[in-house]
Amino acid sequence: MTTSRRKFIKISALSIGGVAAASSAFNMFGSNPYVDELVRENLTKKFNRTPTYCEVCFWKCAAWTYTDEEGTIKKIIGNEEDSHCYGRLCPRGTGGVGMYHDDDRLKTPLIRKMVNGEETFVEASWTEALDLIASKFKVIKEEFGAESIALLKHGSPGKHFEHLFKAFGSDTIAEPAYAQCRGPRETGFALTYGSWVGSPEPTDIRDTKCLVLIGSHIGENMHNTQVQEMSDAIDNGATIITVDPRLSTAASKSKYWLAIKPATDIALMLSWIHVLIYEGIYDKDYIKKYAKGFDELKEHVRQFTPEWAYGITTIKPEVIRRTAREMANASPAVIIHPGRHVVWYGDDSQRARTMAILNALLGSWGRRGGFYFKEKINVPKYPHPKYPHPKWGWQEIGEKYPLAQMGITTEVINASIPHKDNKYPIKAWMVAGTNLTKAIPNKALLEKAINELDFMVVVDTMPMDVTGYADVVLPECTYLERYDGIRSATNREPSIAVRIPAVAPKYNSKPAWWMAKEIGDRLNLNEFFNYTDYKEVIEWQLDKMGTSLEEMKKIGVKNYPRTSGPLYLKEDENYTFPTESGKIELYSQELKNLGFDPLPKYTKHPEPPQGFYRLNYGRAPMHTFSRTANNPNLNDLKDENNLWVNPKVARIIGLKKNQEVWLKNQDGIISTFSIKVRITERVRWDSVYMVHGFGHNNKKLKRAFGKGINDTQLITKVAIDPIMGGTGMRGNFVTILTEDPHKTIGI
Ligand SMILES: Nc1nc2c(c(=O)[nH]1)N[C@H]1C(S)=C(S)[C@@H](COP(=O)(O)OP(=O)(O)OC[C@H]3O[C@@H](n4cnc5c(=O)[nH]c(N)nc54)[C@H](O)[C@@H]3O)O[C@H]1N2
Ligand SMILES: Nc1nc2c(c(=O)[nH]1)N[C@H]1C(S)=C(S)[C@@H](COP(=O)(O)OP(=O)(O)OC[C@H]3O[C@@H](n4cnc5c(=O)[nH]c(N)nc54)[C@H](O)[C@@H]3O)O[C@H]1N2
Ligand code: SF4
Ligand SMILES: [Mo]
């Protein structure tokens, strides 16, 4: 990128909070390397910088926090040495400052009490709140066992409480990032290749010649490295094929946009497999050398011609053939992206299997421009006694789902509702860093479970909806105000990053590590928390890893050389995949043995009834789920979601641009709030679309309250994946109400 001297001055004269965005294919980055360099130089002169890694989403980009002499946080900029961000944060990461400055933050511990016959939150001291938690935990442990206390968590705070729970004897742990997110993909790929995809995905987008996105909307989904690498790949002439019923940002940058009929992706992929095999354009050597079950696959897809798929997907046969050939031409530098939020229609592990099989036929796993072999460095465990063995835990609770590899939140919820056959009664929850009321579908069931609990603690930074259900609310300080675990990244090269407080915690907030330790001490688990400050843990670990806190303060990120071997398979390498057979399992004997389809099949899913539209949802570049809706910086960029409606639908209903409407779903659930209409050809006539994470119900969130609709409220029907327990959420249908339904029924 070249810029004139004049622009230089103009940019550097901008307030440091208002740096403009630039990136070649996606013009939505909150920072750009060239401007950042200027800011960096200027800032280093005037301000202090402290290393951190971002907590606005789970990509965990390493960054520098700049503070002025008064100790006010001014700006966060990406760390140039970091392979998660290449020195550039996404708009959310840049807006992370707003998390710290948000004056709606939780400020002090709260305890639910009866005051004048009404339940209310009363401000409490830390001692009072922590004593209460420890005494409740002890009582429940005595009566039911520690296993009866569940931890529902997400993000960095979860790690500290996980340690506390394991030390206490509970492995009843789950997070929405599994059964509401990546779970089916990990199962589908593990069945085929023997290993998870994991985060970050080892997609070699930088060097790819063809990237196939199937309902993966990179560009709105701002996973940093992927957006940047995709932008470069486009500049380098890579072909992008996007399969999405909606014209996503990625679709708009693509050579092919396949506006598929929702819920029919498996049919499309089976016909791609058909074309690759029956035109003989798959990677024959790779399949012969590394795969197992090809003959069964070939027979299985015989009838799945593009003509067959056309009737199901509405994608023309010649487009199916042409795109399959594009992929084959690029092979092995081609990626069928595994997606990330993949809990759609209940057959999601099988859809992931279909993706995994396609990648195998294209020879992309372990190949340049396909998937590389990732590497991570292990952070040494800070010494503590052995964890006790719980009698049951997440595995038993999820036993109905044989291939679940992590705790299933919804099964924890079910086990919290007493009934006579419940072998695993759950009595209390600690909820840390997850806004369950927005993350988990079927709110009625969630509320039923919460009502049955003896005790519930919520640890959050903000008064999110979920805090309203708690008996005790603990205010965590933001990621900018605390030490935290070392980030060990799984990437092309391993690296670590540290999080060091840039400022002291605001208000009466505290870090999660401190809360875990304080509760642990009260539960006589002192030996598990053998330190006074988490800094000591990090210092010990860094020392073992050949560095120090002093060094890390200066560099923030340390990259290590690879030791596990090359990034890609070597020519003719005799590689053993970590599956049962040592081969890529196109045909899955494991699934067959468990009574599931060994080869993926297309099944038809329900379609919207007359007058209803499929509820589709996704991401906006400047927001993360519900967590950023009230963030002053990010709320400024987008303060509500809109309802994307096709012009044909707008005509039928008589909708106007920006008209406020309400939604009612197939089960009669009506949205609490209204949403403004956006009329656009970018969405199919059979669906409507909105960004997830809006429609907040807690008035304490000044900026976010009542703004837009909460998609989760309308997701009451869930299609459970029988293989791993994921909750398919895309089978909900809504009708559009133009009159305020709450007025007419007198609310
Ligand atoms: N309807 C619907 N449901 C979904 C999705 C969807 O798109 N639509 N997406 C699914 C996916 S992919 C995922 S991964 C999950 C995500 O689920 P969650 O991670 O639960 O998502 P958030 O709603 O952002 O909730 C995060 C909570 O953590 C709090 N928080 C933020 N930082 C900190 C911190 O440093 N410490 C503490 N203690 N708390 C903090 C926030 O204030 C917020 O309350 O949701 C899933 N559920
Ligand atoms: N800005 C931002 N970025 C994020 C996040 C965030 O909160 N904000 N969250 C992160 C997390 S944890 C996750 S899991 C990822 C999720 O991001 P992805 O895995 O990329 O996306 P999904 O939410 O699964 O899919 C959304 C896309 O699927 C399309 N779609 C809907 N139905 C169908 C269908 O039947 N077939 C096909 N082919 N497409 C369909 C939608 O139109 C939409 O474009 O995003 C990550 N990145
Ligand atoms: S992708 Fe954005 S929000 Fe996520 S960690 Fe990186 S900078 Fe933060
Ligand atoms: Mo996710």
Side-chain angles (χ1 to χ4, degrees), residues 338-611:
R340 187 154 175 133
H341 173 63
V342 289
V343 284
W344 297 0
Y345 305 107
D347 52 2
D348 306 304
S349 298
Q350 292 287 13
R351 194 179 64 255
R353 277 264 300 147
T354 326
M355 290 171 152
I357 291 169
L358 262 172
N359 277 305
L361 291 172
L362 294 162
S364 64
W365 193 266
R367 308 290 279 279
R368 181 183 294 277
F371 293 78
Y372 57 80
F373 293 122
K374 59 195 173 187
E375 190 175 316
K376 178 181 182 169
I377 188 158
N378 283 331
V379 178
K381 292 256 174 309
Y382 190 76
H384 62 73
K386 250 179 99 166
Y387 292 134
H389 267 298
K391 288 198 266 315
W392 48 272
W394 64 265
Q395 263 163 314
E396 286 73 16
I397 297 165
E399 66 196 358
K400 263 204 291 195
Y401 303 101
L403 296 179
Q405 292 159 321
M406 281 175 73
I408 303 170
T409 44
T410 29
E411 287 304 282
V412 169
I413 292 165
N414 281 325
S416 307
I417 301 172
H419 64 94
K420 62 177 177 26
D421 306 322
N422 186 358
K423 289 185 278 178
Y424 311 113
I426 294 173
K427 298 290 170 190
W429 292 359
M430 175 174 256
V431 179
T434 170
N435 189 12
L436 294 179
T437 48
K438 290 266 192 301
I440 309 281
N442 196 349
K443 191 170 172 212
L445 195 72
L446 177 69
E447 281 187 333
K448 190 165 177 213
I450 291 176
N451 282 334
E452 295 286 356
L453 293 175
D454 290 352
F455 188 60
M456 177 167 160
V457 185
V458 173
V459 186
D460 208 299
T461 53
M462 294 293 300
M464 305 300 270
D465 302 339
V466 67
T467 56
Y469 297 88
D471 296 300
V472 180
V473 180
L474 301 180
E476 182 164 21
C477 54
T478 68
Y479 68 105
L480 302 167
E481 304 160 284
R482 66 188 194 228
Y483 283 102
D484 232 318
I486 294 169
R487 182 209 78 179
S488 173
T490 318
N491 254 307
R492 292 184 178 94
E493 284 85 35
S495 69
I496 55 166
V498 290
R499 182 178 278 168
I500 293 177
V503 288
K506 239 189 186 179
Y507 313 116
N508 193 14
S509 63
K510 297 274 188 190
W513 69 258
W514 181 87
M515 300 176 209
K517 177 181 159 52
E518 287 290 321
I519 299 170
D521 287 350
R522 286 165 169 79
L523 296 172
N524 305 321
L525 302 169
N526 317 51
E527 288 185 341
F528 288 88
F529 299 91
N530 199 6
Y531 42 84
T532 47
D533 194 323
Y534 203 72
K535 186 179 163 189
E536 294 161 41
V537 177
I538 302 171
E539 277 174 331
W540 183 90
Q541 290 170 323
L542 291 172
D543 181 56
K544 292 264 176 297
M545 298 177 89
T547 174
S548 65
L549 195 56
E550 276 321 299
E551 186 191 23
M552 291 308 288
K553 270 186 186 163
K554 289 190 203 110
I555 57 178
V557 169
K558 192 173 176 73
N559 291 301
Y560 291 82
R562 276 178 80 87
T563 55
S564 63
L567 270 178
Y568 313 112
L569 287 166
K570 284 188 287 237
E571 194 85 21
D572 283 332
E573 182 178 343
N574 265 331
Y575 186 80
T576 309
F577 284 83
T579 51
E580 188 101 339
S581 62
K583 302 265 184 200
I584 301 171
E585 303 201 340
L586 303 173
Y587 177 96
S588 172
Q589 191 60 44
E590 193 174 352
L591 282 178
K592 171 93 176 143
N593 295 346
L594 289 164
F596 298 114
D597 293 330
L599 286 161
K601 281 188 189 140
Y602 163 71
T603 29
K604 195 171 170 354
H605 297 291
E607 289 188 29
Q610 185 69 30

Side-chain angles (χ1 to χ4, degrees), residues 177 181 340-341 619 625:
C181 178
R340 187 154 175 133
H341 173 63
R619 313 278 175 244
F625 313 117

Side-chain angles (χ1 to χ4, degrees), residues 11 60 99 105 109 187 196 235 245 249 302 332 377-378 389 429 438 462 646 725 732:
I11 294 168
K60 301 197 184 87
M99 265 179 94
R105 276 173 59 171
T187 298
W196 284 27
D235 291 346
T249 305
R302 184 183 291 278
I377 188 158
N378 283 331
H389 267 298
W429 292 359
K438 290 266 192 301
M462 294 293 300
N646 185 279
N732 288 265

Side-chain angles (χ1 to χ4, degrees), residues 270-282 294-305:
L270 288 173
S271 75
W272 271 339
I273 295 175
H274 173 97
V275 175
L276 292 175
I277 293 182
Y278 286 93
E279 290 194 6
I281 52 175
Y282 65 98
F294 178 76
D295 294 341
E296 289 92 333
L297 176 68
K298 184 172 178 183
E299 197 42 44
H300 178 68
V301 298
R302 184 183 291 278
Q303 81 260 33
F304 301 140
T305 59

Side-chain angles (χ1 to χ4, degrees), residues 716-738:
T716 48
K717 193 161 154 234
V718 175
I720 298 187
D721 189 322
I723 298 178
M724 53 57 69
T727 52
M729 310 204 276
R730 293 233 156 104
N732 288 265
F733 309 121
V734 292
T735 188
I736 300 172
L737 310 176
T738 50

